[in-house]
Amino acid sequence: MDTSRQQNMFRREYLGKGIATICGLFLIVLTIAIGCFLLGKGSLTFTQFDHSIAEFLFSSEWKPSDTEAGGGQVGALIFIVGSILTCALALLISVPFSLCTAIFMTKISPALGEKIIRPAVEIFVGIPSVVYGWVGLVVLVPLIKTVFNVPHGQSVLAAAIVLAVMIYPTITSVSADAIRSVNNKYIEGAYGLGSTRWQMLYKVLLPAASTGILTAIVLGLARAFGEALAVSMVIGKMRAFPESLLDPTNNLTSAIASDMGGAMDGGEFNAALWSMALLLFIISLIFILIIHALSGRKEEAA
Amino acid sequence: MNLKKMAAAGLSVVVLAGLAGCGGSQDKAAADKKAGSDLSGKVTASGSSALLPLAKDAAAKFKAENPNVSLTLNAGGSGTGLKQVSEGSVDIGMSDVFAEEKLPAEKAKELVDHKVCVITMAPIVNKDVGATVKSLTKAQLQDIFTAKVTNWKDVGGPDEPIVLVTRPSTSGTRALFTKFAMDGKEEASNKSLETDDSGTLIQSISQTKGAIGYVALSYLVNNKDVATIAIDGVEPTLENTYNGKYPVWGYEHMYTKGEPKGAVKAFLDYIVSDKYAGELEKQGYAVTSKMTVQR
């Protein structure tokens, strides 16, 4: 009886803790394993198939050979430019909307914000990306086609708008949290010095919440960069630099998604796609590092 | 403590019942077996996504007759199928192209080719173009896909810009089209919209004015949304494929490493059997043995 009670105590004390530790360690190992795997697969382009990193990053000649012998060209510049362009444009569209929503729901009308806007934004987060892509394809693409009178609506603009809608809830909710966490004494101080509400918002609140807002923007950017499905449905996937916002182009994620099924495992094409995946991984790693640097700054400030 | 025990007991009852249920279904399968053949074994296949729907249909009908054979079919692309069969990780590698085109010569030599059917690729256009343009010469087709001709009025159609819709460069459909319709000329990738699969391609062609693309006949069996284009006056039909008049066709291959045995052989024999030939044609594929021309 005594020993069984002791065992019970032992279980209660260590079992939960043990499971938590194992799960935590497993996650760390998993992350590192994925990183190593991508590094191993993605570097084959440069080691086994003898392409230079400069060719991969700065050439637009994309014609990898789908054989183990290799000998094609792996310039991914069009995809990289496509990704950067669509994401930058998406941010440009999304950030003003998000910031305004965040300010409105926290400071201008908290009651409405709490009851209606916040749940609405949360619903946005939960919608699967294929739905965004589909709606974009069925509504946005024909709309762009008729409004601008172009032969096809698949374009940089369509991709940017779809991405903007997708990252809007992320940026909104994270920056709303940042604004909420601004110390009340700043706000009262601003009012005490006789500023109007808009002056308070613009000159005190936003600067005070700026690191949090930057974090929100980087988070949104990270999501936009990694999004594949919705973008690939509306970007048109034309392998050319877009000459205008209404031209189709291609991006990293769509290019991987469309050829990964057909490219032979162990071939040059496959290796080039893995290199693009590695590039995406590195980019998201950089985003995470930026977020950490930002939040470090925030802690120092507080 | 008691609660836990009860829960554990309850759980084990459920598990046991589940096991018993499984046992029951196995008995049933055994009973079915007596009615069918005694052939048993496992067949694994991977590769071409163009061939997969056919392989799945054949597998379902084959399994109805041979319930003790288990078949596992996966897509993954022609290259992957070839590589896996060459490594021995699957029994059958499904491919749109000859093994020699993807694998090194010494590895391709070990594989045995089974040409299970013939697939015919047809150029398709949006219906507004299809109303006036019924046929194109091969040279016109090549000019269109290399973006030398960019307006339909230059080939006898309406005054509309040509919108190219194509497949990814790793697609087997594209490989066949490039080889036999384009005579090896590369499509203008910098002027064409790319779609991941033939179903989506048909959809974008049907929705985009002035659009042209290409799909396998098997995708057009029940499709009235797009119009097909004849090449040099020859309609893309199974009949014209059989008599060799229509040029854009290719074999669908199932490769095995060495001569197939047992269940694998039975499955391959089933697909090329006369019994299954009718099903093949119903789905828009041509039967290899009816071809009057060879490649």
Side-chain angles (χ1 to χ4, degrees):
Chain A
M1 197 61 200
D2 244 349
T3 50
S4 94
R5 181 170 289 168
Q6 267 170 6
Q7 268 180 353
N8 250 334
M9 299 260 290
F10 178 78
R11 243 186 246 160
R12 268 182 217 150
E13 182 55 29
Y14 292 106
L15 192 64
K17 197 170 130 190
I19 290 174
T21 313
I22 289 168
C23 289
L25 285 178
F26 178 71
L27 246 145
I28 295 170
V29 170
L30 194 67
T31 315
I32 293 172
I34 290 174
C36 292
F37 181 73
L38 279 178
L39 200 63
K41 283 275 198 183
S43 58
L44 286 182
T45 311
F46 313 112
T47 54
Q48 191 184 333
F49 296 103
D50 281 334
H51 294 287
S52 69
I53 294 180
E55 180 197 347
F56 177 68
L57 290 179
F58 303 116
S59 156
S60 59
E61 293 295 322
W62 172 259
K63 212 183 161 213
S65 141
D66 194 18
T67 59
E68 284 181 0
Q73 292 145 315
V74 295
L77 187 63
I78 290 173
F79 309 128
I80 298 170
V81 169
S83 278
I84 294 174
L85 200 63
T86 46
C87 292
L89 202 59
L91 274 190
L92 217 60
I93 299 169
S94 193
V95 168
F97 276 104
S98 304
L99 281 189
C100 293
T101 315
I103 292 171
F104 181 81
M105 69 193 262
T106 49
K107 293 295 165 198
I108 297 178
S109 179
L112 199 67
E114 207 53 36
K115 268 190 207 127
I116 296 171
I117 300 177
R118 204 161 134 138
V121 169
E122 276 160 6
I123 289 172
F124 263 102
V125 181
I127 297 176
S129 59
V130 64
V131 176
Y132 283 114
W134 202 6
V135 173
L137 187 64
V138 174
V139 180
L140 197 61
V141 166
L143 190 74
I144 290 176
K145 192 156 75 178
T146 36
V147 169
F148 296 101
N149 196 21
V150 283
H152 40 70
Q154 282 99 335
S155 55
V156 175
L157 184 67
I161 293 175
V162 167
L163 277 179
V165 175
M166 292 184 70
I167 62 178
Y168 161 81
T170 311
I171 303 182
T172 305
S173 54
V174 177
S175 31
D177 285 342
I179 290 171
R180 250 184 236 113
S181 67
V182 170
N183 200 320
N184 230 9
K185 70 185 176 199
Y186 294 140
I187 298 166
E188 278 159 13
Y191 282 135
L193 288 170
S195 48
T196 63
R197 182 148 83 168
W198 176 244
Q199 282 169 330
M200 181 279 290
L201 289 174
Y202 183 63
K203 297 231 161 103
V204 176
L205 191 69
L206 282 185
S210 64
T211 45
I213 291 170
L214 272 179
T215 307
I217 292 173
V218 178
L219 270 175
L221 194 59
R223 182 169 189 204
F225 238 94
E227 177 52 40
L229 199 55
V231 178
S232 80
M233 290 166 90
V234 297
I235 199 168
K237 290 193 282 191
M238 185 182 282
R239 211 169 59 237
F241 292 113
E243 281 163 17
S244 80
L245 293 184
L246 298 173
D247 280 344
T249 183
N250 208 342
N251 73 349
L252 286 168
T253 46
S254 309
I256 296 175
S258 65
D259 273 320
M260 67 178 182
M264 178 176 65
D265 189 24
E268 185 186 46
F269 208 125
N270 198 282
L273 294 181
W274 278 114
S275 301
M276 279 154 66
L278 178 65
L279 182 64
L280 281 169
F281 183 77
I282 293 171
I283 290 171
S284 70
L285 208 65
I286 292 172
F287 285 147
I288 300 294
L289 289 179
I290 292 175
I291 292 173
H292 271 263
L294 283 175
S295 59
R297 219 170 76 189
K298 192 172 155 191
E299 269 153 31
E300 269 171 39
Chain B
M1 217 32 206
N2 262 336
L3 259 178
K4 270 190 194 167
K5 269 185 190 162
M6 274 170 70
L11 199 67
S12 54
V13 167
V14 171
V15 170
L16 279 175
L19 283 175
C22 287
S25 63
Q26 266 162 12
D27 289 346
K28 197 162 158 273
D32 284 345
K33 180 190 152 189
K34 276 172 205 152
S37 72
D38 339 319
L39 193 69
S40 66
K42 266 186 192 165
V43 181
T44 52
S46 75
S48 160
S49 49
L51 187 51
L52 189 68
L54 175 76
K56 275 190 170 158
D57 179 77
K61 296 195 169 79
F62 179 75
K63 188 145 172 67
E65 291 177 19
N66 303 282
N68 265 27
V69 177
S70 74
L71 300 115
T72 317
L73 308 169
N74 284 309
S78 301
T80 304
L82 286 171
K83 190 170 157 112
Q84 287 184 341
V85 70
S86 154
E87 284 168 349
S89 50
V90 294
D91 301 321
I92 299 173
M94 303 183 284
S95 171
D96 306 324
V97 295
F98 284 97
E100 290 79 9
E101 292 174 32
K102 293 256 180 187
L103 296 178
E106 71 272 14
K107 279 188 180 167
K109 239 189 299 176
E110 300 170 353
L111 300 180
V112 180
D113 187 5
H114 307 270
K115 293 166 181 156
V116 289
C117 65
V118 166
I119 198 161
T120 307
M121 304 298 172
I124 53 170
V125 290
N126 184 279
K127 283 199 152 169
D128 67 331
V129 175
T132 47
V133 182
K134 303 282 183 203
S135 173
L136 291 168
T137 66
K138 224 180 191 186
Q140 283 174 327
L141 203 63
Q142 290 172 3
D143 284 348
I144 288 172
F145 275 99
T146 51
K148 274 187 200 141
V149 169
T150 53
N151 194 304
W152 282 110
K153 68 174 189 227
D154 295 339
V155 290
D159 184 8
E160 270 174 23
I162 296 175
V163 179
L164 297 175
V165 188
T166 67
R167 299 288 311 282
S169 36
T170 48
S171 145
T173 307
R174 177 162 169 168
L176 270 182
F177 193 80
T178 307
K179 199 165 171 190
F180 298 114
M182 302 292 291
D183 292 331
K185 293 195 184 91
E186 274 298 316
E187 288 168 28
S189 289
N190 55 348
K191 296 275 193 299
S192 52
L193 302 171
E194 197 178 288
T195 49
D196 286 350
D197 60 87
S198 296
T200 322
L201 187 137
I202 291 179
Q203 206 195 343
S204 16
I205 299 260
S206 69
Q207 287 169 355
T208 312
K209 277 192 163 191
I212 182 167
Y214 47 83
V215 288
L217 278 190
S218 49
Y219 281 92
L220 296 169
V221 173
N222 292 316
N223 199 294
K224 302 275 171 279
D225 301 334
V226 292
T228 56
I229 293 277
I231 300 178
D232 291 322
V234 184
E235 288 283 335
T237 58
L238 289 184
E239 199 187 322
N240 285 335
T241 310
Y242 287 141
N243 61 29
K245 280 185 191 158
Y246 185 78
V248 193
W249 58 270
Y251 294 111
E252 286 292 333
H253 310 264
M254 286 197 176
Y255 279 98
T256 52
K257 194 174 186 178
E259 286 299 329
K261 291 186 209 69
V264 179
K265 181 170 169 35
F267 179 57
L268 289 170
D269 287 346
Y270 178 79
I271 297 186
V272 295
S273 67
D274 293 342
K275 198 163 64 177
Y276 193 67
E279 295 288 333
L280 274 179
E281 290 187 332
K282 218 188 281 172
Q283 294 176 55
Y285 300 89
V287 179
T288 316
S289 57
K290 286 199 192 173
M291 296 297 295
T292 54
V293 280
Q294 307 289 326
R295 262 176 193 157

